[in-house]
Amino acid sequence: MARSEREALAILLDVSPSMASAPAGHASPLETSLDIIQMLIQRQMFQESRDEICLILFGTDESENQLHEGNNYKNISILRRFELANWHFFELLKKVKAGNATADILDAIVVTVDYMRTDLAAKKGIVAKRIILFTDYSCTFNANQFKDIRAAIKSAQIQLDCVGPDFGDGDDESAPSTSNGAGGPHVKQRTEQQRATENLLRKFHEALEGATYTFSDAMHILSVYQTKSVKSAATKFVLEVGSAVKIPVASFIRVRENKPKIFQMKKVFAKDTQQEVKVDRARFTKDEEERDVDQDELVDGYRYGSTFVPFSKTDEANMKYKTEKALAVLGFTKSKNIKRHMCLGDGVHQIIVDANVPGAETAFNAFVHALIELDMVAIVRKVYRATANVEVGFLQAQVKANCVCLFYIRLPFAEDMRQFTFDSLEQKAFTPNAEQLNAMDELISTMDLTQTQNEDKEALKPKLCFNPYIQRMFKCFAHRAMNPDDPLPDLAQDHEPPQDVAVRAGPVIDAMKRQFPLKEVAKAKKLKTGEDVFKESDEGAGPSTADDEELGGGMAELTRKNVTDVGTVDPVGDFKALVANNQLDKACDQIKQRTRSFIMDAIGNLFYGKAKDCLRTLREESIKAGKPERFNEFLRTLKTDVVAKGRQDFWDAVVQEGTTLISNAESSQSDVSSEEAQGFLQAESKYKPPASAKKSFDDADDLMDEL
């Protein structure tokens, strides 16, 4: 349904005395029904549904409905009018109790249908109407006007679904428990009255295309929270194959990561959690004056080295890459040439032919079948709309009984590719023997997901596996809303191997452990420093009252509290000590100065190691403190300065270690993307030191050699 199209859902709940009866340790039908209704409302809220829901009870002591007069339509009450699902509905459900009277189930259906007719007449966008009846089928009825009632419901285009007990021969040990901790609903044999009521409702279903669910079925269906379903809108393109062939097509989003908006937390007032907080932002100049800047005084600027280059709106418009909407074939290649790691983008698009254009289906059908017969894919240039960025992707053909289509997947450009060099495993030491190969083959065979007890379908198919993170968040939100003071429920393990697969693979996994034994590699001993030697000599002078772990680092840590400045002997340790004493700003300013002095004042590369340690430590602390710009600004300036001063070798060492700008992937406060951070290291400086500068460094090295 479109966003403007909604469903009207009437919940008709039986609260007669029989609904409250159950053996000790079992949930009554009324308790189970309320739990299912609660789960239904939770799903509506989490899906951000615009459907309207009402609640009508029958079997109540009161008679509060529009048709009640004298003894007609009594013991039926409209408890909640048609509204969107909200948390107030849960408070209302807590107040629902079993009544002391019984009501005619057909009267309850008539009251519900009449109320839907009158109350929904003025509401717009209602395209579907449904009644969900919760009962244990023990209620009585007068079937004299049954056919007229069924005809009226059918003419009103209302669907009737029923949810009731699990009838069987005994107790169901595996029945789900309810929210109050009781066991599942009691399972018993039908009475004659229940058989008669169930047969009556079955006649409704045959005419109204309704359905009957047991309590267990309903709880199982609703136990999985489904996010808001989004209907993909078609994007029209013209598939161009050369200059002569043009096929009108429509593109839909087939696969894309689901990110529910409900997970976007908002700041609220702690003393009144229903009161949202408004955030005001102010802008100041980054200098000692910190002058307030108005919105009309701002202009966009791009960083160019250590300076900002302002761009007007006109400049930005002219700077954009001029494109037109397009889906043009650039060429074809074998399917095997598209490597799996080349698939880029945030989803998969399904492309079908626009059947409204005469002759398009024939051309599209021929194009798709030709790709399949030749085992080829089409490389295409795609522009989503005018002025949008250009994409390059491939079209893969698929033909099924009810669908002939293409799948579009984006391909990377050269700037998107990352090259890594790994050691080869094609070495004799890493070559598995025959027994190890057989063990691995057997492991794969025994854990084949197509060979499970349910042989008609493969286990763990993506369309049947729900995201455990989303499910966990939904359960926690619902639990916290209903139980503000209770701890959150334990995290259940999702997506475990099927039970029969795990049992079958057990012996094979044990064999794998024997074939591939793992040994713990001891850590290499650290080189002792003068500080360590001094500490050991102190320990040998007399009995110790505490070991090193209790002292938290020995003499160095005990004296660290007296540090007032970042020195040259142990700048990193001094910096951390100042940070521990809540002197972060002072520590950052001083470690920046030390870093510069280690680079600029050093003879050759003597103190480059300390400078790099200071740089790494400042970067780590900037991320922890949530102030990435402090480090990014310093690194940009440092890069320009060290290259200008003839210290290109230091910057080459920084690039080799990969110490770059803090991106927004590492700190949400950063305005630097991962691509910008990577490009910062790849961009080479065009500065070349003068020959005199190079000669002075060579003379300094010669002097050190002579000494």
Side-chain angles (χ1 to χ4, degrees), residues 292-422:
D292 191 4
V293 180
D294 294 332
Q295 179 67 31
D296 55 4
E297 296 180 292
L298 298 176
V299 64
D300 292 331
Y302 291 87
R303 185 179 293 277
Y304 187 74
S306 60
T307 61
F308 286 95
V309 179
F311 269 74
S312 64
K313 296 296 182 182
T314 304
D315 293 334
E316 288 191 22
N318 294 331
M319 184 176 61
K320 289 183 178 179
Y321 188 74
K322 301 299 187 294
T323 56
E324 295 294 336
K325 185 175 182 178
L327 184 64
V329 175
L330 302 178
F332 301 90
T333 186
K334 286 290 185 181
S335 300
K336 64 180 181 180
N337 294 332
I338 304 297
K339 307 301 180 183
R340 193 171 290 267
H341 67 272
M342 293 182 180
C343 297
L344 191 66
D346 60 348
V348 178
H349 295 254
Q350 185 173 3
I351 298 176
I352 62 174
V353 66
D354 187 351
N356 297 323
V357 180
E361 292 178 302
T362 303
F364 186 81
N365 196 27
F367 183 80
V368 172
H369 280 83
L371 290 178
I372 293 178
E373 291 176 7
L374 298 174
D375 190 23
M376 305 278 278
V377 296
I379 307 300
V380 296
R381 175 181 182 270
K382 178 184 175 184
V383 181
Y384 177 70
R385 62 173 178 269
T387 71
N389 292 333
V390 177
E391 295 181 6
V392 172
F394 68 94
L395 297 178
Q396 187 174 40
Q398 185 182 66
V399 175
K400 287 190 175 182
N402 57 349
C403 181
V404 176
C405 67
L406 297 166
F407 288 117
Y408 169 81
I409 301 176
R410 187 177 169 187
L411 289 171
F413 289 107
E415 294 87 347
D416 303 320
M417 302 289 288
R418 298 187 180 183
Q419 300 295 333
F420 297 97
T421 302
F422 301 102

Side-chain angles (χ1 to χ4, degrees), residues 170-201:
D171 293 338
D172 185 1
E173 297 292 339
S174 62
S177 62
T178 57
S179 61
N180 60 8
H186 180 54
V187 183
K188 59 181 181 180
Q189 294 287 346
R190 297 178 182 85
T191 64
E192 290 300 323
Q193 180 61 50
Q194 287 175 323
R195 292 181 185 275
T197 304
E198 193 174 11
N199 290 332
L200 175 77
L201 295 175

